[in-house]
Amino acid sequence: EVQLVESGGGLVQTGGSLRLSCAASGFTFDDYAIGWFRQAPGKEREGVSCISNSDGSTVYAGSVKGRFTISSDSAKNTVYLQMNSLKPDDTAVYYCAADPSALATLNPELYDYWGQGTQVTVSS
């Protein structure tokens, strides 16, 4: 059974940092891309960042480039999202997802498996 479990969310002040983790199981980790998406109340889901475990390529949304860093640990089947210089606009539920095409893309339609999400709240 495929499972993606997010953790690391919480409440942080503007300018603070959080590190999200996505623990994956039930599939061959190195054959997939893992993406982070977020959805704020009343807004559409937004792609944040992704990494291909096949070739290590990464993609970032313009809104987080330079502030967020995605990384992958194949020994632990875990992908991390280090979020620095957080802003209130970063407040959302963050989801990780797995894409069997292994392409580093923020197109959510390519992602077959999704986690339950973790809440990130940035106070002003």
PDB file of all heavy atoms in Angstrom, residues 34-54:
ATOM      1  N   ILE A  34       8.787  13.459  -6.225  1.00  0.00           N
ATOM      2  CA  ILE A  34       7.972  13.860  -5.084  1.00  0.00           C
ATOM      3  C   ILE A  34       7.773  15.366  -5.145  1.00  0.00           C
ATOM      4  O   ILE A  34       8.743  16.119  -5.298  1.00  0.00           O
ATOM      5  CB  ILE A  34       8.633  13.477  -3.753  1.00  0.00           C
ATOM      6  CG1 ILE A  34       8.918  11.972  -3.681  1.00  0.00           C
ATOM      7  CG2 ILE A  34       7.747  13.917  -2.580  1.00  0.00           C
ATOM      8  CD1 ILE A  34       7.687  11.084  -3.668  1.00  0.00           C
ATOM      9  N   GLY A  35       6.548  15.760  -5.014  1.00  0.00           N
ATOM     10  CA  GLY A  35       6.238  17.179  -5.074  1.00  0.00           C
ATOM     11  C   GLY A  35       5.566  17.662  -3.806  1.00  0.00           C
ATOM     12  O   GLY A  35       4.933  16.884  -3.083  1.00  0.00           O
ATOM     13  N   TRP A  36       5.737  18.937  -3.551  1.00  0.00           N
ATOM     14  CA  TRP A  36       5.018  19.603  -2.463  1.00  0.00           C
ATOM     15  C   TRP A  36       4.024  20.583  -3.073  1.00  0.00           C
ATOM     16  O   TRP A  36       4.385  21.382  -3.950  1.00  0.00           O
ATOM     17  CB  TRP A  36       5.983  20.355  -1.549  1.00  0.00           C
ATOM     18  CG  TRP A  36       6.763  19.466  -0.627  1.00  0.00           C
ATOM     19  CD1 TRP A  36       8.031  19.007  -0.805  1.00  0.00           C
ATOM     20  CD2 TRP A  36       6.326  18.935   0.626  1.00  0.00           C
ATOM     21  NE1 TRP A  36       8.416  18.217   0.257  1.00  0.00           N
ATOM     22  CE2 TRP A  36       7.383  18.169   1.150  1.00  0.00           C
ATOM     23  CE3 TRP A  36       5.145  19.039   1.366  1.00  0.00           C
ATOM     24  CZ2 TRP A  36       7.295  17.500   2.372  1.00  0.00           C
ATOM     25  CZ3 TRP A  36       5.054  18.370   2.578  1.00  0.00           C
ATOM     26  CH2 TRP A  36       6.118  17.608   3.070  1.00  0.00           C
ATOM     27  N   PHE A  37       2.814  20.524  -2.592  1.00  0.00           N
ATOM     28  CA  PHE A  37       1.753  21.417  -3.022  1.00  0.00           C
ATOM     29  C   PHE A  37       1.137  22.039  -1.773  1.00  0.00           C
ATOM     30  O   PHE A  37       1.275  21.503  -0.676  1.00  0.00           O
ATOM     31  CB  PHE A  37       0.688  20.647  -3.812  1.00  0.00           C
ATOM     32  CG  PHE A  37       1.213  20.037  -5.079  1.00  0.00           C
ATOM     33  CD1 PHE A  37       1.914  18.824  -5.059  1.00  0.00           C
ATOM     34  CD2 PHE A  37       1.021  20.665  -6.301  1.00  0.00           C
ATOM     35  CE1 PHE A  37       2.414  18.265  -6.225  1.00  0.00           C
ATOM     36  CE2 PHE A  37       1.512  20.119  -7.474  1.00  0.00           C
ATOM     37  CZ  PHE A  37       2.212  18.924  -7.439  1.00  0.00           C
ATOM     38  N   ARG A  38       0.453  23.142  -1.961  1.00  0.00           N
ATOM     39  CA  ARG A  38      -0.220  23.759  -0.821  1.00  0.00           C
ATOM     40  C   ARG A  38      -1.562  24.331  -1.250  1.00  0.00           C
ATOM     41  O   ARG A  38      -1.771  24.662  -2.408  1.00  0.00           O
ATOM     42  CB  ARG A  38       0.660  24.855  -0.200  1.00  0.00           C
ATOM     43  CG  ARG A  38       0.891  26.075  -1.092  1.00  0.00           C
ATOM     44  CD  ARG A  38       1.908  27.006  -0.441  1.00  0.00           C
ATOM     45  NE  ARG A  38       2.140  28.208  -1.246  1.00  0.00           N
ATOM     46  CZ  ARG A  38       3.058  29.127  -0.970  1.00  0.00           C
ATOM     47  NH1 ARG A  38       3.846  28.994   0.094  1.00  0.00           N
ATOM     48  NH2 ARG A  38       3.192  30.188  -1.757  1.00  0.00           N
ATOM     49  N   GLN A  39      -2.443  24.424  -0.278  1.00  0.00           N
ATOM     50  CA  GLN A  39      -3.758  25.002  -0.542  1.00  0.00           C
ATOM     51  C   GLN A  39      -4.184  25.821   0.664  1.00  0.00           C
ATOM     52  O   GLN A  39      -4.274  25.299   1.780  1.00  0.00           O
ATOM     53  CB  GLN A  39      -4.791  23.929  -0.846  1.00  0.00           C
ATOM     54  CG  GLN A  39      -6.119  24.492  -1.315  1.00  0.00           C
ATOM     55  CD  GLN A  39      -6.986  23.462  -2.004  1.00  0.00           C
ATOM     56  OE1 GLN A  39      -6.838  22.277  -1.813  1.00  0.00           O
ATOM     57  NE2 GLN A  39      -7.905  23.940  -2.840  1.00  0.00           N
ATOM     58  N   ALA A  40      -4.425  27.087   0.411  1.00  0.00           N
ATOM     59  CA  ALA A  40      -4.917  27.992   1.438  1.00  0.00           C
ATOM     60  C   ALA A  40      -6.439  28.080   1.333  1.00  0.00           C
ATOM     61  O   ALA A  40      -7.005  27.829   0.260  1.00  0.00           O
ATOM     62  CB  ALA A  40      -4.292  29.370   1.268  1.00  0.00           C
ATOM     63  N   PRO A  41      -7.102  28.444   2.415  1.00  0.00           N
ATOM     64  CA  PRO A  41      -8.569  28.556   2.381  1.00  0.00           C
ATOM     65  C   PRO A  41      -9.034  29.495   1.285  1.00  0.00           C
ATOM     66  O   PRO A  41      -8.525  30.620   1.161  1.00  0.00           O
ATOM     67  CB  PRO A  41      -8.902  29.095   3.774  1.00  0.00           C
ATOM     68  CG  PRO A  41      -7.769  28.673   4.630  1.00  0.00           C
ATOM     69  CD  PRO A  41      -6.559  28.707   3.759  1.00  0.00           C
ATOM     70  N   GLY A  42      -9.965  29.033   0.486  1.00  0.00           N
ATOM     71  CA  GLY A  42     -10.522  29.862  -0.572  1.00  0.00           C
ATOM     72  C   GLY A  42      -9.642  30.020  -1.794  1.00  0.00           C
ATOM     73  O   GLY A  42      -9.988  30.758  -2.718  1.00  0.00           O
ATOM     74  N   LYS A  43      -8.511  29.330  -1.799  1.00  0.00           N
ATOM     75  CA  LYS A  43      -7.597  29.438  -2.942  1.00  0.00           C
ATOM     76  C   LYS A  43      -7.403  28.067  -3.595  1.00  0.00           C
ATOM     77  O   LYS A  43      -7.645  27.033  -2.982  1.00  0.00           O
ATOM     78  CB  LYS A  43      -6.249  29.998  -2.502  1.00  0.00           C
ATOM     79  CG  LYS A  43      -6.304  31.431  -1.993  1.00  0.00           C
ATOM     80  CD  LYS A  43      -4.909  31.973  -1.722  1.00  0.00           C
ATOM     81  CE  LYS A  43      -4.954  33.418  -1.273  1.00  0.00           C
ATOM     82  NZ  LYS A  43      -3.591  33.959  -1.018  1.00  0.00           N
ATOM     83  N   GLU A  44      -6.945  28.103  -4.838  1.00  0.00           N
ATOM     84  CA  GLU A  44      -6.669  26.860  -5.533  1.00  0.00           C
ATOM     85  C   GLU A  44      -5.355  26.245  -5.057  1.00  0.00           C
ATOM     86  O   GLU A  44      -4.483  26.941  -4.540  1.00  0.00           O
ATOM     87  CB  GLU A  44      -6.617  27.110  -7.042  1.00  0.00           C
ATOM     88  CG  GLU A  44      -7.950  27.514  -7.620  1.00  0.00           C
ATOM     89  CD  GLU A  44      -7.992  27.401  -9.130  1.00  0.00           C
ATOM     90  OE1 GLU A  44      -6.957  27.078  -9.729  1.00  0.00           O
ATOM     91  OE2 GLU A  44      -9.061  27.640  -9.706  1.00  0.00           O
ATOM     92  N   ARG A  45      -5.249  24.949  -5.265  1.00  0.00           N
ATOM     93  CA  ARG A  45      -4.012  24.258  -4.938  1.00  0.00           C
ATOM     94  C   ARG A  45      -2.867  24.806  -5.789  1.00  0.00           C
ATOM     95  O   ARG A  45      -3.027  25.054  -6.981  1.00  0.00           O
ATOM     96  CB  ARG A  45      -4.186  22.765  -5.184  1.00  0.00           C
ATOM     97  CG  ARG A  45      -2.988  21.925  -4.859  1.00  0.00           C
ATOM     98  CD  ARG A  45      -3.329  20.460  -5.012  1.00  0.00           C
ATOM     99  NE  ARG A  45      -3.908  20.185  -6.314  1.00  0.00           N
ATOM    100  CZ  ARG A  45      -4.471  19.030  -6.656  1.00  0.00           C
ATOM    101  NH1 ARG A  45      -4.532  18.046  -5.778  1.00  0.00           N
ATOM    102  NH2 ARG A  45      -4.958  18.855  -7.865  1.00  0.00           N
ATOM    103  N   GLU A  46      -1.725  24.961  -5.150  1.00  0.00           N
ATOM    104  CA  GLU A  46      -0.558  25.558  -5.801  1.00  0.00           C
ATOM    105  C   GLU A  46       0.641  24.621  -5.670  1.00  0.00           C
ATOM    106  O   GLU A  46       0.919  24.119  -4.575  1.00  0.00           O
ATOM    107  CB  GLU A  46      -0.231  26.907  -5.145  1.00  0.00           C
ATOM    108  CG  GLU A  46       1.038  27.566  -5.629  1.00  0.00           C
ATOM    109  CD  GLU A  46       1.424  28.782  -4.795  1.00  0.00           C
ATOM    110  OE1 GLU A  46       0.933  28.924  -3.667  1.00  0.00           O
ATOM    111  OE2 GLU A  46       2.238  29.581  -5.288  1.00  0.00           O
ATOM    112  N   GLY A  47       1.346  24.415  -6.770  1.00  0.00           N
ATOM    113  CA  GLY A  47       2.584  23.653  -6.698  1.00  0.00           C
ATOM    114  C   GLY A  47       3.673  24.496  -6.073  1.00  0.00           C
ATOM    115  O   GLY A  47       3.839  25.660  -6.433  1.00  0.00           O
ATOM    116  N   VAL A  48       4.413  23.919  -5.145  1.00  0.00           N
ATOM    117  CA  VAL A  48       5.442  24.647  -4.415  1.00  0.00           C
ATOM    118  C   VAL A  48       6.835  24.247  -4.896  1.00  0.00           C
ATOM    119  O   VAL A  48       7.646  25.095  -5.272  1.00  0.00           O
ATOM    120  CB  VAL A  48       5.322  24.384  -2.905  1.00  0.00           C
ATOM    121  CG1 VAL A  48       6.464  25.056  -2.142  1.00  0.00           C
ATOM    122  CG2 VAL A  48       3.971  24.863  -2.384  1.00  0.00           C
ATOM    123  N   SER A  49       7.108  22.956  -4.874  1.00  0.00           N
ATOM    124  CA  SER A  49       8.421  22.477  -5.277  1.00  0.00           C
ATOM    125  C   SER A  49       8.332  20.981  -5.540  1.00  0.00           C
ATOM    126  O   SER A  49       7.422  20.310  -5.044  1.00  0.00           O
ATOM    127  CB  SER A  49       9.451  22.749  -4.182  1.00  0.00           C
ATOM    128  OG  SER A  49      10.747  22.329  -4.579  1.00  0.00           O
ATOM    129  N   CYS A  50       9.281  20.478  -6.310  1.00  0.00           N
ATOM    130  CA  CYS A  50       9.324  19.042  -6.544  1.00  0.00           C
ATOM    131  C   CYS A  50      10.761  18.617  -6.819  1.00  0.00           C
ATOM    132  O   CYS A  50      11.605  19.446  -7.179  1.00  0.00           O
ATOM    133  CB  CYS A  50       8.417  18.629  -7.689  1.00  0.00           C
ATOM    134  SG  CYS A  50       8.849  19.385  -9.239  1.00  0.00           S
ATOM    135  N   ILE A  51      10.983  17.336  -6.652  1.00  0.00           N
ATOM    136  CA  ILE A  51      12.296  16.771  -6.913  1.00  0.00           C
ATOM    137  C   ILE A  51      12.121  15.413  -7.574  1.00  0.00           C
ATOM    138  O   ILE A  51      11.267  14.620  -7.169  1.00  0.00           O
ATOM    139  CB  ILE A  51      13.127  16.650  -5.613  1.00  0.00           C
ATOM    140  CG1 ILE A  51      14.539  16.160  -5.912  1.00  0.00           C
ATOM    141  CG2 ILE A  51      12.438  15.751  -4.589  1.00  0.00           C
ATOM    142  CD1 ILE A  51      15.495  16.335  -4.729  1.00  0.00           C
ATOM    143  N   SER A  52      12.911  15.177  -8.611  1.00  0.00           N
ATOM    144  CA  SER A  52      12.920  13.864  -9.234  1.00  0.00           C
ATOM    145  C   SER A  52      13.950  13.003  -8.532  1.00  0.00           C
ATOM    146  O   SER A  52      15.131  13.336  -8.515  1.00  0.00           O
ATOM    147  CB  SER A  52      13.274  13.986 -10.714  1.00  0.00           C
ATOM    148  OG  SER A  52      13.535  12.703 -11.249  1.00  0.00           O
ATOM    149  N   ASN A  53      13.515  11.899  -7.970  1.00  0.00           N
ATOM    150  CA  ASN A  53      14.457  10.979  -7.324  1.00  0.00           C
ATOM    151  C   ASN A  53      15.241  10.182  -8.371  1.00  0.00           C
ATOM    152  O   ASN A  53      16.204   9.498  -8.020  1.00  0.00           O
ATOM    153  CB  ASN A  53      13.725  10.033  -6.379  1.00  0.00           C
ATOM    154  CG  ASN A  53      13.248  10.737  -5.134  1.00  0.00           C
ATOM    155  OD1 ASN A  53      13.928  11.622  -4.628  1.00  0.00           O
ATOM    156  ND2 ASN A  53      12.081  10.360  -4.653  1.00  0.00           N
ATOM    157  N   SER A  54      14.834  10.309  -9.620  1.00  0.00           N
ATOM    158  CA  SER A  54      15.533   9.618 -10.696  1.00  0.00           C
ATOM    159  C   SER A  54      16.817  10.337 -11.100  1.00  0.00           C
ATOM    160  O   SER A  54      17.869   9.715 -11.248  1.00  0.00           O
ATOM    161  CB  SER A  54      14.606   9.500 -11.910  1.00  0.00           C
ATOM    162  OG  SER A  54      15.284   8.929 -13.001  1.00  0.00           O
TER     163      SER A  54
END
